[in-house]
Amino acid sequence: MLTIGVDVGGTSVRAGVVDEQGDLLDTARVATPGGEDALEDAIAGVVAQLRNRHEVAAVGLAVAAFVGTDRRSVMFAPHLAWRASPVADRIAKRVGLPVTLEHDANAATVGEHRYGAARGARVACLIAVGTGIGAGLLLGGELFRGAHGVAPELGHLCVVPGGRPCSCGKYGCWERYCSGTALAATAVDLLARHPSRSTVLARELSGDPGSVTGRRVAGAARDGDPIALRAMAELARWLGEGLALVADVYDPEVVVIAGGVSESATLFLDEAREHYARAVTGAGHRPLARIRTAQLGAETTIVGAATLARETQKKPGVPRM
């Protein structure tokens, strides 16, 4: 059974055909448009492209949104047009295939659990470190979505009371200290306080702090820039501190670090493991979670969404179109 996974992001809609071994066979991509109708047209378009080349049985949609407990509707999506929208049913009508809807971090967690870094784990957590922090949690091998379908919003754990303001309205959230956006903010702050210590960053930015991005900071760190390296060390610290909080509550076997920032894991992950090992409750007297990077890379969400669509179709009593 081949299925299509669609990762609906704020900048692009990426889709792929996935087989039962978790292999990605073909892909399609389009820029994310504004407006509900245009967005749904874009999704139907990439699905149609892939169906022209493959016979598929179902579609899985992965979205950065609050997904209803029925996994048919989007309650709220901060970077997409949907508000209280029956997305799965509308897309199913457009494409003529069964559609499964899931939060993008949950889909990525399933992808890594079935085929990647968390394979076989009964208690596992995925932390997607990108513009912010997304998270997925498996308890007893099953996705934990909470009572209303919106768990776990781990990026909004408070790690610094009264700290940096967050778009959620709170202060000191984990993602304000551990994300691509946070990495850039930390570098800008350090540059303002220690302008003479930077070489690469100061030369590249030429006094324009708005041009600082997490990706540019990571590149400067690879080139040995002292400010960029210090910003990376701060990200490592807060990743470790946050993982210790997660471990205190859920005690996972495996934590998978995914998202765009994970591409620079060699610059921070070993140090983050050390912070985590020191900060976790009972340090030195308990097993520690294995902290790994995502094995499926940027495609883990597509693979997970397609896998969920396939598994849903295989459940007894699920209607097939």
Side-chain angles (χ1 to χ4, degrees):
M1 181 189 291
L2 300 182
T3 50
I4 293 174
V6 185
D7 182 3
V8 186
T11 58
S12 65
V13 176
R14 301 183 306 121
V17 177
V18 179
D19 66 16
E20 296 203 34
Q21 288 72 50
D23 293 324
L24 188 65
L25 307 181
D26 197 358
T27 61
R29 181 174 185 155
V30 67
T32 302
E36 290 191 12
D37 289 341
L39 177 56
E40 290 167 17
D41 285 343
I43 294 168
V46 293
V47 170
Q49 287 183 48
L50 295 173
R51 289 188 73 190
N52 286 336
R53 302 192 288 267
H54 304 271
E55 184 174 346
V56 298
V59 175
L61 296 182
V63 297
F66 288 169
V67 176
T69 54
D70 59 358
R71 292 168 62 197
R72 310 299 300 164
S73 59
V74 168
M75 295 185 285
F76 172 71
H79 306 296
L80 300 170
W82 292 312
R83 298 291 185 274
S85 301
V87 171
D89 292 337
R90 294 209 301 234
I91 298 298
K93 185 176 180 179
R94 286 177 184 248
V95 302
L97 288 170
V99 171
T100 298
L101 181 66
E102 189 55 85
H103 188 281
D104 57 351
N106 283 347
T109 304
V110 168
E112 290 296 325
H113 182 254
R114 305 298 193 269
Y115 307 109
R119 190 165 188 171
R122 288 188 54 76
V123 181
C125 186
L126 179 136
I127 306 294
V129 186
T131 303
I133 286 181
L137 179 65
L138 287 161
L139 299 179
E142 298 291 332
L143 281 173
F144 177 76
R145 300 182 179 88
H148 305 103
V150 302
E153 284 291 334
L154 299 180
H156 297 287
L157 290 173
C158 180
V159 295
V160 182
R164 292 173 177 169
C166 183
S167 59
C168 75
K170 297 187 293 185
Y171 292 82
C173 291
W174 190 17
E175 68 176 40
R176 299 303 300 130
Y177 294 86
C178 180
S179 64
T181 305
L183 183 62
T186 299
V188 168
D189 180 60
L190 290 171
L191 278 168
R193 288 189 284 138
H194 310 287
S196 64
R197 295 186 185 179
S198 177
T199 54
V200 178
L201 275 180
R203 184 171 63 250
E204 284 189 0
L205 303 178
S206 302
D208 180 13
S211 65
V212 180
T213 64
R215 189 176 297 277
R216 296 187 75 175
V217 175
R222 291 189 188 93
D223 291 336
D225 182 84
I227 290 293
L229 288 169
R230 186 169 169 186
M232 274 291 178
E234 282 293 296
L235 183 136
R237 171 197 172 191
W238 291 113
L239 178 58
E241 294 281 348
L243 291 180
L245 292 176
V246 173
D248 286 347
V249 178
Y250 297 114
D251 189 25
E253 301 167 50
V254 180
V255 175
V256 179
I257 307 300
V261 175
S262 69
E263 297 172 6
S264 302
T266 55
L267 295 171
F268 64 82
L269 194 56
D270 285 344
E271 190 173 348
R273 289 188 180 105
E274 294 174 4
H275 283 290
Y276 157 69
R278 289 194 297 266
V280 69
T281 300
H285 303 283
R286 61 181 286 181
L288 297 176
R290 303 187 301 277
I291 302 173
R292 300 172 170 175
T293 53
Q295 288 184 7
L296 304 182
E299 312 306 334
T300 185
T301 303
I302 291 174
V303 172
T307 300
L308 285 165
R310 179 184 305 109
E311 293 176 352
T312 299
Q313 286 302 295
K314 287 185 174 182
K315 290 180 180 178
V318 173
R320 289 160 175 79
M321 298 180 68

